[in-house]
């Protein structure tokens, strides 16, 4: 038992709440301190009444100098822009940082400023941050001090594409990603676009050709195969609370049979506890992973067009955010990567 002291910035948001739900039952965590940037919030249960008499914790103001002495790990689950400014003040030899926002994911600060329209984090911080796609970057994650936890759509997309891209089986510029998300992906703060009346009985396309996850996905794919060209990536909001489905179409660079592709995916993910490849040719739905840290993948080669269709589903708040952040936390400290996560059985219906 190590007994770690954890701090969560942005604890009152959806990602932060999910972090607390997992970490409050994690066997290696001795205490969680919850932080808020708002003067109005005092008790956690005043923000989330379902925690009344379950969680007595107060919310604390963010004081970086003090926090870096008190915690072994700080999770940041705040809007983009916050981590770029707070993280430099939290750094020390003895602390690990896991950032759920997009601030530390892009290595090129110009790309961040172009797609996020915000000031980038200092270059040295960006270079030291390790991209935390647990299944793909585990060796680097185990040695890291700062983790840039991947975006929700990039997690679903990259896990679907990694086996074929790593084997250079994808024809350059042929990748089309059609992705859909539940509304919690937009966070807890209210907006007209995500309000009940706008979303009920509706399906909406958004951020066409300008989604901030385009450069993130391209950066990681190019890292695996430098020949990968620009992707077509489109996002939709769908009237449900949680879940992402990414439906991906690719042209293969060389002939492959369905059996060869299934073998490739099964082998690639055979020792990865949170990626489940459908062996029977079926496709997963978002309910199959609801509330869990799983990513479920199905794939089928279309013999008429020669194109491969891959479907990948995750819970955006779990494998797409807090769940993967805890998986990375486990890898950082050499714990079993399923600790605190595997006992959370998927919720159905
Ligand atoms: N929702 C999702 O599915 C995913 C989200 N992410 C990313 O994770 C991060 C958190 O997302 P999510 O939980 O959905 O967002 P929410 O809007 O639900 O919560 C964000 C929280 O950040 C806190 N906050 C706001 N401004 C500041 C500030 N200036 N300094 C410190 N804290 C601040 C707020 O709490 P308070 O007012 O109490 O300080 C708020 O509760 C975002 O960067 C998001 O892009 C990544 C993957 C998936
Ligand atoms: C449904 C919805 O609105 N989802 C958000 C994803 C949030 C996220 O993960 O964005 P970061 O890269 O800032 O972390 C979006 O599409 O922008």
């Amino acid at each position: 038992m190590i007994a770690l002291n954890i701090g969560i910035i942005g604890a009152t948001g959806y990602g932060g709440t999910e972090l607390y739900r997992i970490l409050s039952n994690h066997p290696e965590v001795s205490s969680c301190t919850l932080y808020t940037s708002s003067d109005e919030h005092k008790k956690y249960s005043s923000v989330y009444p379902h925690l009344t008499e379950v969680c007595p914790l107060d919310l604390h103001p963010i004081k970086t100098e003090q926090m870096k002495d008190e915690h072994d790990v700080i999770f940041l689950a705040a809007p983009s822009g916050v981590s770029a400014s707070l993280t430099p003040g939290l750094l020390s030899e003895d602390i690990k940082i896991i950032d759920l926002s997009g601030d530390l994911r892009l290595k090129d600060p110009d790309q961040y400023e172009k797609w996020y329209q915000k000031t980038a984090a200092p270059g040295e911080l960006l270079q030291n941050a390790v991209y935390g796609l647990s299944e793909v970057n585990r060796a680097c994650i185990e040695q890291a001090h700062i983790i840039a936890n991947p975006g929700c759509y990039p997690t679903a997309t990259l896990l679907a594409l990694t086996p074929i891209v790593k084997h250079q089986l994808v024809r350059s510029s042929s990748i089309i990603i059609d992705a859909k998300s539940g509304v919690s992906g937009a966070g807890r703060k209210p907006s007209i676009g995500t309000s009940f009346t706008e979303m009920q009985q509706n399906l909406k396309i958004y951020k066409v050709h300008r989604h901030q996850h385009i450069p993130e996905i391209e950066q990681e794919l190019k890292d695996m195969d430098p020949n990968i060209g620009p992707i077509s990536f489109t996002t939709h909001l769908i009237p449900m609370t949680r879940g992402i489905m990414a439906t991906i179409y690719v042209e293969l660079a060389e002939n492959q049979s369905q059996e060869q592709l299934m073998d490739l995916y099964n082998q690639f993910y055979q020792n990865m506890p949170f990626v489940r490849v459908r062996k029977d040719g079926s496709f997963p739905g978002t309910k199959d992973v609801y509330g869990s840290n799983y990513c479920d993948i199905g794939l089928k080669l279309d013999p008429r067009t020669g194109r491969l269709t891959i479907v990948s589903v995750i819970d955006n708040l779990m494998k797409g955010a807090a769940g993967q952040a805890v998986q990375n936390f486990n890898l950082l400290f050499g714990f079993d990567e399923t600790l605190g996560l595997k006992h959370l059985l998927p919720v159905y219906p």
Side-chain angles (χ1 to χ4, degrees):
M1 280 291 267
I2 298 189
L4 297 165
N5 293 321
I6 307 295
I8 303 176
I9 294 176
T12 60
Y14 286 156
T17 310
E18 202 67 344
L19 276 172
Y20 177 67
R21 183 171 76 94
I22 306 167
L23 292 169
S24 59
N25 279 309
H26 193 291
E28 301 285 355
V29 171
S30 61
S31 77
C32 274
T33 309
L34 308 179
Y35 292 95
T36 179
S37 65
S38 163
D39 291 338
E40 292 160 33
H41 301 150
K42 296 284 182 258
K43 270 217 167 302
Y44 198 39
S45 59
S46 70
V47 183
Y48 286 111
H50 70 287
L51 294 176
T52 306
E53 294 184 16
V54 176
C55 168
L57 294 183
D58 291 325
L59 290 162
H60 297 268
I62 299 165
K63 293 182 181 155
T64 50
E65 271 307 309
Q66 204 175 311
M67 288 164 71
K68 71 180 183 191
D69 294 333
E70 287 175 358
H71 299 299
D72 301 295
V73 186
I74 295 190
F75 290 85
L76 291 108
S80 57
V82 172
S83 163
S85 64
L86 283 187
T87 304
L90 290 168
L91 294 178
S92 94
E93 276 289 294
D94 303 324
I95 202 162
K96 305 220 186 216
I97 304 284
I98 302 179
D99 179 30
L100 275 67
S101 83
D103 282 9
L104 309 181
R105 298 180 200 145
L106 298 176
K107 291 291 168 206
D108 179 350
D110 293 341
Q111 284 285 307
Y112 178 86
E113 295 191 350
K114 174 179 164 194
W115 292 86
Y116 282 80
Q117 299 284 304
K118 288 184 177 158
T119 305
E124 198 187 344
L125 179 55
L126 295 178
Q127 288 317 313
N128 287 334
V130 169
Y131 189 73
L133 189 63
S134 316
E135 284 71 17
V136 179
N137 284 347
R138 67 183 47 225
C140 296
I141 294 167
E142 284 165 4
Q143 306 302 320
H145 268 268
I146 307 164
I147 298 288
N149 214 57
C152 45
Y153 288 118
T155 296
T157 302
L158 291 168
L159 290 175
L161 285 168
T162 294
I164 43 174
V165 173
K166 276 213 169 202
H167 283 82
Q168 266 116 51
L169 286 175
V170 174
R171 187 167 288 170
S172 177
S173 306
S174 79
I175 301 175
I176 299 174
I177 303 145
D178 178 42
K180 295 155 195 90
S181 174
V183 185
S184 66
R188 191 169 193 246
K189 67 181 176 322
S191 79
I192 290 173
T194 57
S195 67
F196 182 76
T197 39
E198 297 285 326
M199 275 316 302
Q200 193 195 24
Q201 308 285 353
N202 206 358
L203 175 55
K204 297 202 286 193
I205 190 166
Y206 70 104
K207 294 190 187 170
V208 178
H209 303 165
R210 62 177 185 86
H211 199 284
Q212 73 276 13
H213 291 165
I214 292 172
E216 181 180 335
I217 295 169
E218 288 181 349
Q219 169 183 284
E220 296 307 308
L221 291 176
K222 280 200 163 85
D223 216 33
M224 297 178 215
D225 177 358
N227 294 317
I228 292 293
I231 56 167
S232 295
F233 174 72
T234 314
T235 48
H236 306 79
L237 259 184
I238 197 151
M240 57 188 198
T241 306
R242 293 171 181 238
I244 281 183
M245 177 179 279
T247 306
I248 304 173
Y249 309 94
V250 293
E251 287 172 23
L252 297 176
E254 58 184 73
N255 272 343
Q256 293 284 309
S257 66
Q258 174 76 19
E259 292 68 33
Q260 283 173 308
L261 290 165
M262 288 307 298
D263 284 350
L264 180 66
Y265 275 75
N266 285 326
Q267 262 173 34
F268 193 88
Y269 287 121
Q270 67 181 340
N271 296 319
M272 313 280 180
F274 291 117
V275 180
R276 302 185 295 198
V277 179
R278 290 289 168 103
K279 297 188 172 49
D280 58 359
S282 65
F283 288 99
T286 52
K287 230 169 202 180
D288 301 328
V289 295
Y290 195 94
S292 84
N293 197 47
Y294 288 107
C295 171
D296 283 7
I297 295 173
L299 55 142
K300 202 166 192 175
L301 191 62
D302 181 350
R304 282 186 334 107
T305 62
R307 266 185 224 108
L308 175 64
T309 302
I310 316 165
V311 171
S312 170
V313 294
I314 58 169
D315 182 318
N316 54 294
L317 292 175
M318 288 295 291
K319 185 62 178 163
Q324 182 155 238
V326 174
Q327 193 180 349
N328 287 329
F329 163 76
N330 288 335
L331 292 172
L332 276 175
F333 285 90
F335 304 144
D336 176 340
E337 75 186 284
T338 67
L339 221 53
L341 292 166
K342 196 88 191 240
H343 70 277
L344 295 169
L345 285 178
V347 178
Y348 205 105

